[in-house]
Amino acid sequence: MRWLRLVLLIGHLHLAGCQSVRSDGPAGRMAPCGALPNCYRSGAAQPPWHLADASLAGWQAFMAELRLRERWSLITEADGYVHFLVRTPLLRFADDVEFRLALPAGTVSYRSASRLGISDLGANRQRLEALAAELVTAGLLQTVGATSETTADE
């Protein structure tokens, strides 16, 4: 019984360690990831994605695919910016997932951050890498890692 209390205490401290920094939304830029390993976003180390169709129609097709995802609830959509609340499958933790479009380049910047906890154990990175692979297969994104001269939030 003593080990159970210890596990629960450690779990509570882990989850209460930090709350995600929220972005400015459609009017601003996506917030940077903080020092804690509970966030993944495009930037210098991870290039933005590139729509296969670098147009508003390509963005709309991208959005249509995101709206079909289980456990993804659309929070905000305006002017080439979207914010989803995503629930994890097992424990239903809330994560914020954001995308911002930059035209005419058709680049999509992304950010996925856990609302609670010190570490996400790589869940945000895995979520976005799996999503990118699915969107490439669906023909909505160019091969991830392609270069562009313009990024959406840099």
Side-chain angles (χ1 to χ4, degrees):
M1 189 55 104
R2 184 177 231 164
W3 65 268
L4 180 60
R5 278 189 253 165
L6 179 61
V7 168
L8 291 174
L9 176 63
I10 291 171
H12 175 72
L13 292 174
H14 175 76
L15 293 175
C18 162
Q19 244 188 324
S20 168
V21 177
R22 299 277 176 86
S23 74
D24 295 333
R29 300 187 324 168
M30 289 186 284
C33 290
L36 298 175
N38 65 356
C39 178
Y40 184 74
R41 86 185 281 273
S42 55
Q46 294 81 32
W49 298 339
H50 300 271
L51 294 175
D53 175 4
S55 68
L56 193 53
W59 174 252
Q60 291 168 344
F62 174 84
M63 284 299 304
E65 185 68 27
L66 295 181
R67 285 188 187 99
L68 296 174
R69 302 192 72 77
E70 291 183 37
R71 297 181 310 276
W72 287 49
S73 302
L74 183 62
I75 303 298
T76 305
E77 179 178 10
D79 302 324
Y81 168 84
V82 291
H83 173 200
F84 288 90
L85 175 70
V86 178
R87 295 279 179 185
T88 61
L90 184 59
L91 297 176
R92 313 272 304 149
F93 292 127
D95 295 340
D96 293 294
V97 178
E98 303 168 278
F99 301 96
R100 180 174 299 284
L101 171 68
L103 289 174
T107 58
V108 178
S109 293
Y110 49 86
R111 179 177 186 270
S112 182
S114 300
R115 286 191 175 186
L116 294 175
I118 295 171
S119 173
D120 66 354
L121 304 174
N124 288 300
R125 180 181 190 138
Q126 291 170 4
R127 172 188 298 122
L128 289 176
E129 287 177 350
L131 175 63
E134 290 173 28
L135 295 173
V136 167
T137 300
L140 297 172
L141 291 181
Q142 294 177 11
T143 302
V144 175
T147 59
S148 174
E149 296 177 20
T150 307
T151 63
D153 68 333
E154 299 295 328

